[in-house]
């Protein structure tokens, strides 16, 4: 069985943020991830991790444009300085929490923006983030996201994610492969995952349609998890789904493992 961690941005929302760490541990998870830990002091999160024996697997950079609120700061050539400030904050939290990686953010292309300039800005920003995160032993992660949920997203297939990593040319940049997003965009999940395995730094999953827990949709997750083992994947797999009811009642798939 792969190492399964809970995404407590999506799961355990019945609880306040810090209490989600306790709830995840009670449910049997040994690792957690969260997009936005920044509302809490690092020391407060560290205390919950230590209390519960949890590994903090990944966090996300905060990439909302302060002017528009759109989560596409890495694509904006006139706001590189702000992005670099966000990288510094992510480095501080990731190092303090002992993360293996940081989702460095992408976002949709702004209306009227030049796609080539947006892409070049993104690649340059990715290279910078990879370099800064490497200093504290943390991976810079690139996550393609489906255009059904987020129209206009710059990178929306695994091949596009790999091209950006190649163009950035930094060994600390790795792919964050999300089975939910890639089922929507390209399918052929197991063969694609096997091909890209050397470049994959983290895995996430949810079922589709609906982005609910495994067993509610079309993806055969018992088969997927077996294949991760057979292929020798050694990393974590983050459950990033919207529980169809109370989180604790959505864990039959996890108990079965």
């Amino acid at each position: 069985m792969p190492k399964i961690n809970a995404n407590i941005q999506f799961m355990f929302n019945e609880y306040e943020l810090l209490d989600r760490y306790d709830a995840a541990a009670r449910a049997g998870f040994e690792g957690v991830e969260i997009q936005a830990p920044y509302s809490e002091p690092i020391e407060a999160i560290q205390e919950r991790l230590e209390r519960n024996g949890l590994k903090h697997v990944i966090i996300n950079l905060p990439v909302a444009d302060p002017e528009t609120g759109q989560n596409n700061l890495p694509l904006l050539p006139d706001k590189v300085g702000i992005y670099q400030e966000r990288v510094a904050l992510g480095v501080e939290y990731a190092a303090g929490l002992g993360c293996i990686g940081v989702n460095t953010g992408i976002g949709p292309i702004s209306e009227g923006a030049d796609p080539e300039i947006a892409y070049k800005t993104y690649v340059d920003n990715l290279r910078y983030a990879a370099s800064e995160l490497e200093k504290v032993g943390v991976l810079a992660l690139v996550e393609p996201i489906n255009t059904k949920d987020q129209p206009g997203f710059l990178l929306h297939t695994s091949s596009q994610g790999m091209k950006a990593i190649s163009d950035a040319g930094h060994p600390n940049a790795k792919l964050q492969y999300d089975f939910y997003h890639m089922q929507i965009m390209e399918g052929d999940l197991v063969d694609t995952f096997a091909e890209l395995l050397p470049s994959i730094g983290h895995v996430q999953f949810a079922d589709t349609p609906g982005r609910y827990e495994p067993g509610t949709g079309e993806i055969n997750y018992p088969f997927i998890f077996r294949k991760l083992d057979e292929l020798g994947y050694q990393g974590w797999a983050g459950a990033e789904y919207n529980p169809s009811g109370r989180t604790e009642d959505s864990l039959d798939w996890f108990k079965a493992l």
Side-chain angles (χ1 to χ4, degrees), residues 190 193 222-233:
V190 170
F193 183 87
F223 175 77
I224 294 287
F225 293 146
R226 286 198 303 272
K227 285 298 181 180
L228 293 187
D229 283 342
E230 291 174 13
L231 291 167
Y233 176 66

Side-chain angles (χ1 to χ4, degrees), residues 187-202:
D188 200 22
L189 297 174
V190 170
D191 286 348
T192 302
F193 183 87
E195 178 183 349
L196 300 179
L197 180 56
S199 299
I200 291 175
H202 185 54

